[in-house]
Amino acid sequence: MQRMCGIATLTNEFVKSVSGTKTKVLDTRKTIPGLRVLDKYAVSCGGGVNHRLDLQDGILIKNNHISLAGGIPTVLERALANRKTGQWIQVEVRTQAELDQAIAGGAESILLDNMTPSQVKKAVKQIRAALPKFPSKPPAT
C-alpha cells in the first residue's frame, strides 16, 4: 500500500508540474514483476495516464527497427498495414529528418529521444502544427 501511495503522490507532483501545458504524464510497462496492474492503477490515481500494459498493446518503432527495415517510411508503412485493432504506432525519432518522416508517414505517437530542450520545444511545436488533431487515445482500426 505504501508503494502505491508513493507512486500516486510522485505522479501527481509531475502532473501538477505540467498543468496547463496540454502535456500528459504517462507511465511505463517496466514495473516490478507481479505489481504492474497495481503500479499502473497508482499512476492513474495520481492523475497520470496508462501508456500500455504490455508489448502487444502497441507498436513502438525504435532506431534498431528503423535501421533494419531500411528507414522510417518503410517500417512505418509495414506497421500501419499489419497492426492489430486498437494498436498505436509510435515512432522513436532522434533527428529533425526522422521527425519529418514520421509525421509524413502517419505516425500516431512520436517519442522524442535524446534531444535537447530546445530541440524538443521545436519538435513539439512542429507536431502540433502538422497534426492538430494528434490522437490522445489509440485508434479503433
Side-chain angles (χ1 to χ4, degrees), residues 4 14 30 43 46 68-69 89 93 100 104 117 125-126 134:
M4 301 313 123
F14 281 105
K30 298 174 184 173
V43 167
L68 289 170
I89 306 293
V93 300
D100 294 340
K125 188 175 183 179
Q126 179 182 354
F134 206 60

Side-chain angles (χ1 to χ4, degrees), residues 23-65:
T23 301
K24 295 179 182 179
V25 175
L26 288 94
D27 62 9
T28 178
R29 63 180 175 76
K30 298 174 184 173
T31 58
I32 300 217
L35 296 179
R36 181 172 296 162
V37 173
L38 295 173
D39 286 352
K40 289 185 159 293
Y41 177 70
V43 167
S44 64
C45 288
V49 176
N50 295 143
H51 180 225
R52 61 185 191 173
L53 186 59
D54 55 33
L55 291 174
Q56 72 178 355
D57 286 346
I59 298 173
L60 173 56
I61 301 169
K62 296 184 64 68
N63 61 335
N64 53 336
H65 304 124

